[in-house]
Amino acid sequence: EVQLVESGGGSVQPGGSLRLSCAASGFAFSSAGMSWVRQAPGKGLEWVSTITRGGSTTYTDAVKGRFTISRDNTKNTLYLQMNSLKPEDTAVYYCSWPNAARRGQGTQVTVSL
């Protein structure tokens, strides 16, 4: 059974940082391209970032230069380091594989004063 379990969310002030984690199981994680998606209040799902099995990364323009996606195949864990957070980053963040339709329960990120 595929399981994706996100953690690491919380409430921070603008300019702050958070590191999200996603523990994956039930599939060949090291061979999988993995993504982060998010859903802001009242809005649809938004793709945030993807890391390929080879480690290549892509980001939506809104987070380029601030967020870093990474993976540890020895721990079957996906990460999202989020720096210089902005109020518009407030959302529930999900890791997803193989596409956004399959994702975990999400972790809430709130950026406010």
Side-chain angles (χ1 to χ4, degrees):
E1 178 188 2
V2 172
Q3 286 197 323
L4 300 166
V5 180
E6 301 92 341
S7 61
S11 295
V12 296
Q13 294 185 345
S17 298
L18 285 172
R19 188 194 195 203
L20 307 184
S21 300
C22 171
S25 61
F27 63 101
F29 179 81
S30 61
S31 299
M34 298 294 298
S35 296
W36 287 97
V37 297
R38 66 186 180 184
Q39 187 164 26
K43 297 188 177 181
L45 279 174
E46 176 189 23
W47 170 76
V48 175
S49 181
T50 294
I51 185 167
T52 68
R53 59 187 288 179
S56 297
T57 59
T58 51
Y59 301 90
T60 189
D61 286 347
V63 308
K64 280 182 182 175
R66 301 188 298 120
F67 290 11
T68 303
I69 190 172
S70 62
R71 64 193 301 160
D72 186 340
N73 290 337
T74 66
K75 297 181 179 180
N76 282 7
T77 301
L78 178 72
Y79 301 100
L80 186 68
Q81 177 67 45
M82 306 187 296
N83 299 328
S84 302
L85 282 161
K86 303 176 181 180
E88 51 263 45
D89 296 317
T90 295
V92 179
Y93 284 72
Y94 304 90
C95 63
S96 66
W97 175 84
N99 53 52
R102 176 168 280 170
R103 55 190 186 270
Q105 84 290 345
T107 186
Q108 176 71 48
V109 171
T110 303
V111 185
S112 65
L113 291 171

XYZ file of all heavy atoms in Angstrom:
843
model
N 0.841 -1.191 0.000
C 0.000 0.000 0.000
C 0.881 1.248 0.000
O 1.785 1.380 0.817
C -0.911 0.024 1.236
C -1.780 1.262 1.341
C -2.519 1.341 2.670
O -2.317 0.443 3.517
O -3.280 2.292 2.859
N 0.600 2.133 -0.919
C 1.343 3.389 -0.981
C 0.943 4.292 0.183
O -0.239 4.495 0.455
C 1.073 4.120 -2.310
C 1.694 5.508 -2.301
C 1.592 3.297 -3.483
N 1.945 4.790 0.891
C 1.693 5.754 1.967
C 2.633 6.947 1.815
O 3.832 6.775 1.570
C 1.890 5.111 3.334
C 0.770 4.169 3.738
C 0.768 3.865 5.220
O 1.812 3.732 5.831
N -0.421 3.761 5.803
N 2.067 8.123 1.959
C 2.819 9.376 1.944
C 2.400 10.150 3.182
O 1.225 10.479 3.333
C 2.503 10.172 0.675
C 2.819 9.482 -0.655
C 2.164 10.210 -1.814
C 4.324 9.395 -0.863
N 3.352 10.436 4.069
C 3.035 11.081 5.334
C 3.877 12.350 5.470
O 5.087 12.291 5.681
C 3.287 10.147 6.525
C 2.941 10.852 7.824
C 2.484 8.853 6.366
N 3.198 13.481 5.374
C 3.886 14.775 5.473
C 3.965 15.237 6.915
O 3.092 14.917 7.734
C 3.151 15.847 4.654
C 3.009 15.547 3.181
C 1.720 14.841 2.828
O 1.096 14.252 3.745
O 1.306 14.885 1.654
N 5.005 16.024 7.202
C 5.158 16.620 8.524
C 6.019 17.870 8.395
O 6.623 18.119 7.341
C 5.794 15.631 9.499
O 7.082 15.265 9.057
N 6.077 18.649 9.472
C 6.962 19.800 9.507
C 6.300 21.151 9.318
O 6.960 22.180 9.396
N 5.011 21.153 9.075
C 4.320 22.423 8.918
C 4.206 23.167 10.232
O 4.573 22.670 11.289
N 3.690 24.389 10.149
C 3.510 25.194 11.343
C 3.187 26.626 10.993
O 2.903 26.948 9.830
N 3.256 27.481 11.993
C 2.980 28.909 11.820
C 4.274 29.695 11.983
O 4.984 29.498 12.978
C 1.957 29.382 12.850
O 0.712 28.756 12.646
N 4.569 30.542 11.014
C 5.780 31.352 11.061
C 5.460 32.767 10.606
O 4.439 33.006 9.942
C 6.904 30.771 10.181
C 7.346 29.420 10.688
C 6.476 30.698 8.723
N 6.333 33.672 10.959
C 6.201 35.047 10.495
C 6.811 35.182 9.093
O 7.641 34.370 8.695
C 6.899 35.994 11.458
C 6.254 36.058 12.826
C 6.900 37.100 13.725
O 7.990 37.600 13.454
N 6.213 37.450 14.806
N 6.382 36.194 8.372
C 7.000 36.440 7.058
C 8.514 36.547 7.176
O 9.022 37.148 8.114
C 6.373 37.768 6.629
C 5.043 37.787 7.306
C 5.270 37.127 8.635
N 9.200 35.924 6.241
C 10.644 35.877 6.279
C 11.205 34.655 6.974
O 12.419 34.407 6.914
N 10.346 33.905 7.627
C 10.786 32.733 8.356
C 11.013 31.521 7.461
O 10.845 31.587 6.228
N 11.386 30.422 8.086
C 11.709 29.198 7.364
C 11.016 28.001 7.993
O 10.746 27.978 9.196
C 13.221 28.945 7.379
O 13.926 29.976 6.725
N 10.750 27.022 7.163
C 10.240 25.725 7.604
C 10.838 24.652 6.716
O 11.167 24.912 5.545
C 8.719 25.659 7.516
C 7.895 26.401 8.560
C 6.419 26.380 8.174
C 8.077 25.783 9.930
N 10.944 23.442 7.258
C 11.385 22.297 6.461
C 10.325 21.216 6.550
O 10.058 20.694 7.640
C 12.712 21.754 6.967
C 13.306 20.685 6.072
C 14.417 19.946 6.778
N 15.246 19.165 5.867
C 15.976 18.115 6.262
N 15.981 17.748 7.537
N 16.721 17.469 5.392
N 9.725 20.927 5.432
C 8.725 19.875 5.365
C 9.387 18.550 5.031
O 10.370 18.502 4.297
C 7.671 20.201 4.311
C 6.988 21.569 4.411
C 5.891 21.678 3.344
C 6.420 21.805 5.796
N 8.813 17.475 5.547
C 9.267 16.122 5.247
C 8.096 15.294 4.768
O 6.948 15.548 5.146
C 9.875 15.464 6.486
O 10.992 16.180 6.964
N 8.392 14.307 3.966
C 7.381 13.359 3.499
C 7.988 11.965 3.553
O 8.915 11.661 2.794
C 6.938 13.690 2.089
S 5.882 12.442 1.318
N 7.470 11.140 4.439
C 7.916 9.750 4.548
C 7.090 8.898 3.598
O 5.860 8.879 3.687
C 7.757 9.269 5.978
N 7.788 8.213 2.695
C 7.107 7.434 1.660
C 7.329 5.944 1.872
O 8.398 5.521 2.327
C 7.631 7.844 0.286
N 6.331 5.159 1.539
C 6.452 3.708 1.620
C 5.489 3.060 0.647
O 4.538 3.702 0.179
C 6.180 3.221 3.049
O 4.873 3.549 3.454
N 5.744 1.791 0.343
C 4.837 1.033 -0.511
C 5.146 1.089 -1.988
O 4.396 0.533 -2.791
N 6.235 1.744 -2.349
C 6.658 1.784 -3.749
C 8.161 2.028 -3.789
O 8.785 2.309 -2.768
C 5.895 2.857 -4.528
C 6.113 4.275 -4.051
C 6.973 5.120 -4.738
C 5.460 4.764 -2.932
C 7.183 6.425 -4.313
C 5.651 6.062 -2.487
C 6.522 6.902 -3.180
N 8.727 1.925 -4.982
C 10.174 2.066 -5.156
C 10.548 3.547 -5.150
O 10.715 4.175 -6.202
C 10.614 1.396 -6.440
N 10.696 4.096 -3.966
C 10.923 5.532 -3.809
C 12.132 6.012 -4.601
O 12.079 7.046 -5.260
C 11.110 5.851 -2.327
C 11.374 7.312 -2.042
C 10.325 8.219 -1.988
C 12.668 7.762 -1.824
C 10.561 9.563 -1.726
C 12.915 9.098 -1.563
C 11.861 10.008 -1.508
N 13.221 5.268 -4.554
C 14.447 5.740 -5.196
C 14.304 5.843 -6.712
O 15.075 6.565 -7.358
C 15.615 4.821 -4.849
O 15.352 3.511 -5.305
N 13.323 5.169 -7.271
C 13.094 5.202 -8.720
C 11.999 6.171 -9.119
O 11.664 6.279 -10.302
C 12.711 3.810 -9.230
O 13.749 2.888 -8.979
N 11.452 6.874 -8.155
C 10.270 7.693 -8.399
C 10.586 9.181 -8.474
O 11.340 9.705 -7.650
C 9.243 7.458 -7.291
N 9.997 9.848 -9.451
C 9.955 11.293 -9.426
C 8.922 11.722 -8.397
O 7.825 11.179 -8.367
N 9.270 12.676 -7.553
C 8.385 13.090 -6.459
C 8.090 14.578 -6.560
O 8.929 15.362 -7.019
C 9.032 12.804 -5.103
C 9.320 11.345 -4.815
S 7.827 10.353 -4.660
C 7.040 11.142 -3.234
N 6.927 14.952 -6.089
C 6.522 16.355 -6.188
C 5.919 16.847 -4.886
O 5.426 16.063 -4.079
C 5.493 16.538 -7.303
O 6.033 16.229 -8.567
N 5.944 18.150 -4.746
C 5.176 18.849 -3.719
C 4.111 19.683 -4.440
O 4.401 20.339 -5.449
C 6.059 19.781 -2.893
C 6.961 19.087 -1.940
C 8.283 18.771 -2.125
C 6.631 18.609 -0.632
N 8.781 18.132 -1.031
C 7.788 18.020 -0.078
C 5.459 18.630 0.148
C 7.819 17.445 1.188
C 5.492 18.069 1.409
C 6.653 17.484 1.922
N 2.907 19.651 -3.898
C 1.828 20.502 -4.366
C 1.232 21.176 -3.139
O 1.467 20.738 -2.005
C 0.738 19.701 -5.121
C 1.323 19.056 -6.379
C 0.105 18.649 -4.239
N 0.491 22.245 -3.346
C -0.122 22.944 -2.214
C -1.512 23.435 -2.571
O -1.846 23.581 -3.755
C 0.750 24.116 -1.768
C 0.878 25.227 -2.778
C 1.887 26.287 -2.278
N 2.048 27.383 -3.235
C 2.909 28.385 -3.084
N 3.703 28.432 -2.015
N 2.984 29.334 -4.003
N -2.301 23.662 -1.552
C -3.648 24.192 -1.750
C -3.885 25.299 -0.747
O -3.957 25.030 0.467
C -4.698 23.093 -1.611
C -6.094 23.565 -1.965
C -7.054 22.417 -2.194
O -6.876 21.311 -1.670
N -8.086 22.665 -2.995
N -3.994 26.513 -1.245
C -4.276 27.655 -0.402
C -5.775 27.702 -0.095
O -6.590 27.118 -0.829
C -3.842 28.933 -1.102
N -6.156 28.392 0.964
C -7.580 28.468 1.333
C -8.428 28.975 0.179
O -8.147 30.028 -0.405
C -7.578 29.455 2.503
C -6.211 29.357 3.086
C -5.303 29.106 1.929
N -9.452 28.215 -0.178
C -10.374 28.636 -1.214
C -9.865 28.517 -2.629
O -10.526 28.971 -3.571
N -8.691 27.897 -2.807
C -8.111 27.777 -4.141
C -7.862 26.316 -4.499
O -7.946 25.436 -3.651
C -6.806 28.568 -4.220
C -6.992 30.070 -4.014
C -5.715 30.824 -4.287
C -5.923 32.324 -4.157
N -4.668 33.085 -4.438
N -7.532 26.063 -5.746
C -7.254 24.715 -6.198
C -5.832 24.293 -5.906
O -5.029 25.060 -5.375
N -5.522 23.051 -6.265
C -4.174 22.547 -6.082
C -3.196 23.275 -6.997
O -3.503 23.528 -8.170
C -4.120 21.051 -6.389
C -4.573 20.089 -5.297
C -4.592 18.672 -5.834
C -3.691 20.182 -4.079
N -2.034 23.564 -6.466
C -0.977 24.235 -7.219
C 0.294 23.409 -7.116
O 0.743 23.082 -6.018
C -0.729 25.642 -6.665
C 0.428 26.359 -7.340
C 0.819 27.652 -6.642
O 0.520 27.804 -5.433
O 1.429 28.525 -7.287
N 0.885 23.088 -8.270
C 2.163 22.399 -8.275
C 3.233 23.349 -7.750
O 3.276 24.521 -8.129
C 2.503 21.939 -9.685
C 3.901 21.437 -9.818
C 4.398 20.245 -9.398
C 4.996 22.145 -10.413
N 5.734 20.163 -9.702
C 6.119 21.301 -10.319
C 5.125 23.395 -11.010
C 7.373 21.681 -10.812
C 6.368 23.768 -11.498
C 7.476 22.921 -11.400
N 4.123 22.814 -6.888
C 5.175 23.629 -6.298
C 6.549 23.234 -6.839
O 7.312 24.089 -7.290
C 5.167 23.497 -4.760
C 6.343 24.257 -4.154
C 3.851 23.998 -4.187
N 6.857 21.937 -6.794
C 8.204 21.511 -7.163
C 8.231 20.018 -7.433
O 7.400 19.270 -6.905
C 9.174 21.844 -6.018
O 10.502 21.477 -6.343
N 9.186 19.603 -8.259
C 9.395 18.195 -8.580
C 10.874 17.879 -8.542
O 11.705 18.705 -8.941
C 8.837 17.868 -9.976
O 7.410 18.014 -9.959
C 9.177 16.441 -10.395
N 11.203 16.683 -8.067
C 12.558 16.168 -8.138
C 12.504 14.815 -8.831
O 11.687 13.957 -8.478
C 13.217 16.080 -6.740
C 14.678 15.643 -6.858
C 12.435 15.161 -5.811
C 15.472 15.838 -5.554
N 13.353 14.644 -9.838
C 13.351 13.390 -10.577
C 14.137 12.323 -9.834
O 14.811 12.599 -8.837
C 13.974 13.583 -11.964
O 15.375 13.859 -11.797
C 13.310 14.729 -12.717
N 14.065 11.119 -10.344
C 14.832 10.040 -9.731
C 16.309 10.335 -9.779
O 17.070 9.892 -8.916
C 14.532 8.707 -10.431
C 14.842 8.709 -11.900
C 14.381 7.430 -12.570
N 15.230 6.289 -12.195
C 15.040 5.054 -12.632
N 14.050 4.787 -13.452
N 15.844 4.080 -12.255
N 16.732 11.096 -10.755
C 18.137 11.448 -10.898
C 18.547 12.675 -10.118
O 19.729 13.031 -10.101
N 17.578 13.341 -9.486
C 17.898 14.500 -8.665
C 17.712 15.850 -9.333
O 17.982 16.888 -8.718
N 17.239 15.860 -10.576
C 16.958 17.142 -11.221
C 15.727 17.771 -10.587
O 14.780 17.071 -10.237
C 16.727 16.945 -12.716
O 17.896 16.448 -13.332
N 15.748 19.103 -10.458
C 14.666 19.789 -9.760
C 14.045 20.879 -10.627
O 14.715 21.498 -11.458
C 15.174 20.423 -8.461
O 16.216 21.359 -8.763
C 15.714 19.368 -7.515
N 12.760 21.097 -10.428
C 12.038 22.186 -11.071
C 11.108 22.818 -10.034
O 10.673 22.147 -9.086
C 11.213 21.726 -12.283
O 10.407 20.604 -11.887
C 12.099 21.317 -13.442
N 10.820 24.109 -10.249
C 10.011 24.869 -9.296
C 9.037 25.779 -10.022
O 9.336 26.290 -11.109
C 10.900 25.758 -8.422
C 11.941 25.017 -7.627
C 13.210 24.773 -8.147
C 11.645 24.525 -6.356
C 14.158 24.072 -7.428
C 12.592 23.828 -5.620
C 13.848 23.603 -6.158
O 14.774 22.915 -5.433
N 7.898 26.020 -9.404
C 7.027 27.047 -9.918
C 7.702 28.404 -9.682
O 8.472 28.566 -8.708
C 5.655 26.997 -9.230
O 4.748 27.865 -9.882
C 5.738 27.360 -7.754
N 7.423 29.351 -10.554
C 8.102 30.640 -10.477
C 7.936 31.320 -9.113
O 8.832 32.010 -8.637
C 7.582 31.576 -11.574
C 8.105 31.207 -12.955
O 9.047 30.387 -13.032
O 7.578 31.733 -13.948
N 6.787 31.107 -8.489
C 6.485 31.803 -7.240
C 7.427 31.430 -6.099
O 7.539 32.184 -5.121
C 5.046 31.521 -6.827
N 8.101 30.279 -6.209
C 8.959 29.834 -5.099
C 10.424 29.719 -5.484
O 11.261 29.406 -4.634
C 8.471 28.496 -4.510
C 6.987 28.566 -4.168
C 8.752 27.327 -5.439
N 10.752 29.959 -6.746
C 12.143 29.851 -7.193
C 13.044 30.767 -6.372
O 12.724 31.915 -6.121
C 12.250 30.226 -8.671
C 11.851 29.117 -9.614
C 12.023 29.554 -11.066
C 11.575 28.482 -12.024
N 11.633 28.926 -13.429
N 14.169 30.193 -5.946
C 15.120 30.951 -5.158
C 14.831 30.962 -3.671
O 15.649 31.423 -2.876
N 13.649 30.483 -3.291
C 13.276 30.454 -1.865
C 13.088 29.036 -1.332
O 13.369 28.776 -0.168
C 11.981 31.241 -1.650
C 12.061 32.705 -2.066
C 10.805 33.470 -1.651
N 9.588 32.969 -2.292
C 8.533 32.490 -1.627
N 8.551 32.431 -0.302
N 7.463 32.072 -2.287
N 12.583 28.151 -2.173
C 12.324 26.773 -1.760
C 13.356 25.839 -2.393
O 13.799 26.069 -3.527
C 10.943 26.327 -2.213
C 9.782 26.975 -1.495
C 9.950 28.068 -0.666
C 8.493 26.468 -1.664
C 8.878 28.649 -0.015
C 7.405 27.036 -1.023
C 7.610 28.136 -0.206
N 13.685 24.766 -1.674
C 14.585 23.747 -2.201
C 13.999 22.368 -1.920
O 13.747 22.025 -0.760
C 15.974 23.847 -1.562
O 16.508 25.156 -1.788
C 16.908 22.804 -2.163
N 13.809 21.598 -2.972
C 13.337 20.228 -2.839
C 14.545 19.309 -2.821
O 15.533 19.537 -3.528
C 12.371 19.863 -3.997
C 11.671 18.531 -3.741
C 13.089 19.867 -5.336
C 10.565 18.208 -4.750
N 14.468 18.263 -1.998
C 15.551 17.293 -1.942
C 14.994 15.953 -1.509
O 13.825 15.851 -1.119
C 16.658 17.756 -0.979
O 16.163 17.873 0.338
N 15.838 14.939 -1.579
C 15.390 13.609 -1.197
C 16.527 12.840 -0.563
O 17.695 13.083 -0.861
C 14.866 12.866 -2.430
C 15.911 12.590 -3.496
C 15.288 12.141 -4.818
N 14.506 10.923 -4.636
C 13.555 10.532 -5.488
N 13.266 11.252 -6.553
N 12.910 9.413 -5.251
N 16.166 11.906 0.309
C 17.114 10.973 0.902
C 16.594 9.583 0.616
O 15.662 9.107 1.289
C 17.235 11.230 2.403
C 18.314 10.376 3.053
O 18.699 9.343 2.467
O 18.761 10.731 4.144
N 17.185 8.948 -0.372
C 16.698 7.626 -0.773
C 17.005 6.558 0.267
O 16.363 5.503 0.266
C 17.297 7.238 -2.126
C 16.751 8.075 -3.272
O 15.654 8.641 -3.185
N 17.509 8.167 -4.356
N 17.963 6.803 1.141
C 18.250 5.826 2.199
C 17.149 5.826 3.263
O 16.988 4.854 3.988
C 19.598 6.114 2.876
O 19.518 7.357 3.581
C 20.714 6.173 1.849
N 16.420 6.944 3.339
C 15.344 7.067 4.332
C 13.960 7.099 3.690
O 12.957 7.271 4.395
C 15.542 8.342 5.153
C 16.812 8.363 5.976
C 16.932 9.650 6.777
C 18.193 9.668 7.611
N 18.336 10.924 8.400
N 13.916 6.964 2.362
C 12.640 7.068 1.641
C 11.888 8.337 2.043
O 10.669 8.299 2.319
C 11.760 5.831 1.907
C 12.184 4.621 1.103
O 13.202 4.635 0.426
N 11.426 3.553 1.200
N 12.586 9.432 2.074
C 12.009 10.684 2.543
C 12.277 11.822 1.563
O 13.380 11.957 1.045
C 12.560 11.052 3.930
O 12.252 9.999 4.853
C 11.933 12.343 4.446
N 11.237 12.586 1.338
C 11.280 13.775 0.490
C 11.237 15.007 1.392
O 10.547 14.992 2.421
C 10.072 13.777 -0.448
C 9.889 14.953 -1.392
C 10.929 14.890 -2.512
C 8.472 14.935 -1.972
N 11.937 16.057 0.999
C 11.988 17.273 1.804
C 11.624 18.499 0.966
O 11.770 18.511 -0.255
C 13.386 17.497 2.377
C 13.883 16.375 3.242
C 14.773 15.419 2.752
C 13.454 16.248 4.565
C 15.230 14.380 3.545
C 13.907 15.211 5.368
C 14.795 14.281 4.855
O 15.235 13.255 5.641
N 11.176 19.536 1.665
C 11.010 20.848 1.042
C 11.488 21.891 2.053
O 10.822 22.111 3.076
C 9.561 21.109 0.643
C 9.348 22.399 -0.152
C 10.002 22.287 -1.535
C 7.849 22.709 -0.310
N 12.636 22.473 1.782
C 13.148 23.564 2.609
C 12.551 24.860 2.085
O 12.728 25.197 0.914
C 14.675 23.612 2.537
C 15.290 24.758 3.318
C 15.100 24.616 4.815
O 15.293 23.531 5.361
N 14.724 25.703 5.483
N 11.873 25.563 2.956
C 11.179 26.785 2.570
C 11.772 27.958 3.342
O 11.665 27.999 4.576
C 9.679 26.665 2.839
C 9.044 25.434 2.184
S 7.249 25.421 2.350
C 7.096 25.303 4.123
N 12.380 28.868 2.633
C 12.972 30.064 3.237
C 12.254 31.305 2.744
O 11.526 31.281 1.746
C 14.451 30.150 2.879
C 15.261 28.968 3.392
O 14.951 28.395 4.440
N 16.300 28.609 2.662
N 12.485 32.414 3.433
C 11.887 33.706 3.048
C 10.393 33.559 2.794
O 9.871 34.022 1.773
C 12.592 34.261 1.809
O 13.979 34.425 2.050
N 9.720 32.916 3.705
C 8.293 32.640 3.520
C 7.479 33.917 3.463
O 7.775 34.912 4.146
C 7.795 31.725 4.628
C 8.178 30.249 4.435
C 8.073 29.476 5.743
C 7.299 29.605 3.373
N 6.436 33.872 2.649
C 5.537 34.998 2.441
C 4.116 34.599 2.827
O 3.781 33.407 2.785
C 5.554 35.409 0.969
C 6.922 35.771 0.426
C 6.837 36.067 -1.059
C 8.207 36.422 -1.632
N 8.132 36.722 -3.094
N 3.264 35.546 3.162
C 1.871 35.198 3.487
C 1.192 34.406 2.371
O 0.369 33.530 2.670
C 1.223 36.576 3.679
C 2.330 37.439 4.171
C 3.544 36.973 3.404
N 1.536 34.665 1.141
C 0.921 33.942 0.034
C 1.380 32.488 -0.074
O 0.867 31.731 -0.899
C 1.153 34.661 -1.300
C 2.595 35.021 -1.572
C 2.930 36.460 -1.194
O 2.515 36.902 -0.099
O 3.620 37.129 -1.988
N 2.356 32.087 0.745
C 2.749 30.681 0.813
C 1.841 29.879 1.747
O 1.976 28.655 1.831
C 4.197 30.545 1.291
C 5.197 31.149 0.329
O 5.041 30.935 -0.890
O 6.130 31.831 0.799
N 0.945 30.551 2.444
C 0.023 29.863 3.342
C -0.825 28.872 2.563
O -1.494 29.239 1.580
C -0.886 30.882 4.054
O -0.078 31.699 4.909
C -1.960 30.182 4.867
N -0.780 27.611 2.978
C -1.481 26.547 2.262
C -1.278 25.237 3.011
O -0.460 25.147 3.925
C -0.934 26.410 0.840
N -2.029 24.242 2.597
C -1.745 22.861 2.984
C -0.804 22.291 1.921
O -1.098 22.379 0.720
C -3.025 22.018 3.091
C -2.663 20.578 3.467
C -3.980 22.611 4.104
N 0.301 21.746 2.377
C 1.321 21.214 1.469
C 1.247 19.688 1.465
O 1.159 19.049 2.531
C 2.705 21.666 1.902
C 2.977 23.111 1.556
C 2.346 24.146 2.245
C 3.845 23.449 0.519
C 2.572 25.472 1.906
C 4.074 24.766 0.176
C 3.442 25.773 0.877
O 3.665 27.094 0.543
N 1.296 19.134 0.264
C 1.212 17.696 0.075
C 2.406 17.207 -0.750
O 2.806 17.881 -1.699
C -0.038 17.317 -0.696
C -1.353 17.774 -0.133
C -1.901 19.004 -0.487
C -2.093 16.954 0.726
C -3.122 19.418 0.007
C -3.320 17.357 1.223
C -3.826 18.587 0.856
O -5.050 18.988 1.350
N 2.911 16.022 -0.414
C 3.811 15.367 -1.358
C 2.956 14.446 -2.211
O 1.895 13.958 -1.774
C 4.931 14.613 -0.673
S 4.444 13.239 0.363
N 3.396 14.215 -3.429
C 2.563 13.443 -4.342
C 3.407 12.532 -5.216
O 4.538 12.847 -5.578
C 1.727 14.377 -5.221
O 2.548 15.126 -6.089
N 2.841 11.372 -5.533
C 3.404 10.393 -6.454
C 2.311 9.473 -6.897
O 1.527 9.005 -6.034
C 4.527 9.587 -5.780
C 5.020 8.508 -6.689
C 5.949 8.615 -7.682
C 4.534 7.145 -6.721
N 6.083 7.402 -8.318
C 5.233 6.494 -7.761
C 3.595 6.453 -5.986
C 5.014 5.152 -8.061
C 3.364 5.117 -6.291
C 4.071 4.483 -7.311
N 2.197 9.089 -8.153
C 3.002 9.589 -9.266
C 2.485 10.914 -9.833
O 3.121 11.500 -10.703
C 2.847 8.474 -10.308
C 1.476 7.934 -10.038
C 1.278 8.027 -8.560
N 1.335 11.352 -9.299
C 0.782 12.629 -9.738
C -0.004 13.219 -8.579
O -0.136 12.606 -7.517
C -0.092 12.457 -10.985
C -1.155 11.399 -10.779
O -1.903 11.441 -9.800
N -1.222 10.437 -11.690
N -0.571 14.384 -8.772
C -1.234 15.095 -7.683
C -2.456 14.367 -7.147
O -2.900 14.638 -6.032
C -1.618 16.492 -8.147
N -2.985 13.416 -7.935
C -4.174 12.704 -7.467
C -3.851 11.793 -6.291
O -4.738 11.445 -5.503
C -4.772 11.894 -8.617
N -2.574 11.367 -6.184
C -2.172 10.535 -5.056
C -1.245 11.369 -4.182
O -0.120 11.689 -4.582
C -1.469 9.276 -5.517
C -0.942 8.432 -4.353
C -0.514 7.067 -4.819
N -1.644 6.163 -4.974
C -1.558 4.981 -5.543
N -0.425 4.573 -6.051
N -2.617 4.202 -5.627
N -1.714 11.699 -2.996
C -0.930 12.527 -2.088
C -1.265 12.154 -0.656
O -2.232 11.416 -0.404
C -1.219 14.007 -2.334
C -2.680 14.403 -2.258
C -2.870 15.831 -2.767
N -4.239 16.267 -2.575
C -5.218 16.102 -3.457
N -4.963 15.469 -4.592
N -6.436 16.544 -3.209
N -0.480 12.661 0.281
C -0.717 12.347 1.672
C -1.823 13.188 2.270
O -2.616 13.801 1.559
N -1.822 13.230 3.613
C -2.874 13.986 4.307
C -2.574 15.472 4.357
O -3.445 16.283 4.657
C -3.058 13.437 5.735
C -2.092 14.005 6.781
C -0.653 13.540 6.598
O -0.366 12.600 5.874
N 0.262 14.212 7.298
N -1.331 15.825 4.066
C -0.951 17.223 4.020
C -0.468 17.754 5.357
O -0.722 17.173 6.421
N 0.259 18.862 5.285
C 0.714 19.565 6.482
C 0.477 21.056 6.275
O 0.785 21.607 5.223
C 2.191 19.245 6.792
O 2.568 19.815 8.032
C 3.133 19.732 5.698
N -0.105 21.699 7.280
C -0.507 23.098 7.163
C 0.684 24.027 7.382
O 1.426 23.889 8.364
C -1.597 23.428 8.188
C -2.017 24.879 8.224
C -2.802 25.296 7.003
O -3.745 24.613 6.592
N -2.431 26.433 6.413
N 0.837 24.974 6.492
C 1.826 26.038 6.629
C 1.077 27.366 6.663
O 0.308 27.667 5.748
C 2.834 26.028 5.469
C 3.727 27.266 5.516
C 3.676 24.762 5.510
N 1.297 28.133 7.719
C 0.655 29.433 7.863
C 1.722 30.497 8.065
O 2.559 30.374 8.964
C -0.315 29.440 9.047
O -1.295 28.407 8.866
C -1.012 30.781 9.166
N 1.693 31.516 7.214
C 2.669 32.597 7.286
C 1.920 33.890 7.564
O 1.154 34.376 6.716
C 3.481 32.715 5.985
C 4.568 33.773 6.147
C 4.078 31.374 5.594
N 2.112 34.430 8.748
C 1.411 35.649 9.124
C 2.155 36.341 10.252
O 2.951 35.739 10.955
C -0.025 35.339 9.529
O -0.047 34.549 10.690
N 1.807 37.639 10.435
C 2.439 38.412 11.504
C 1.867 38.012 12.848
O 0.727 37.604 12.957
C 2.223 39.900 11.241
C 2.984 40.469 10.040
C 2.515 41.885 9.739
C 4.491 40.438 10.320
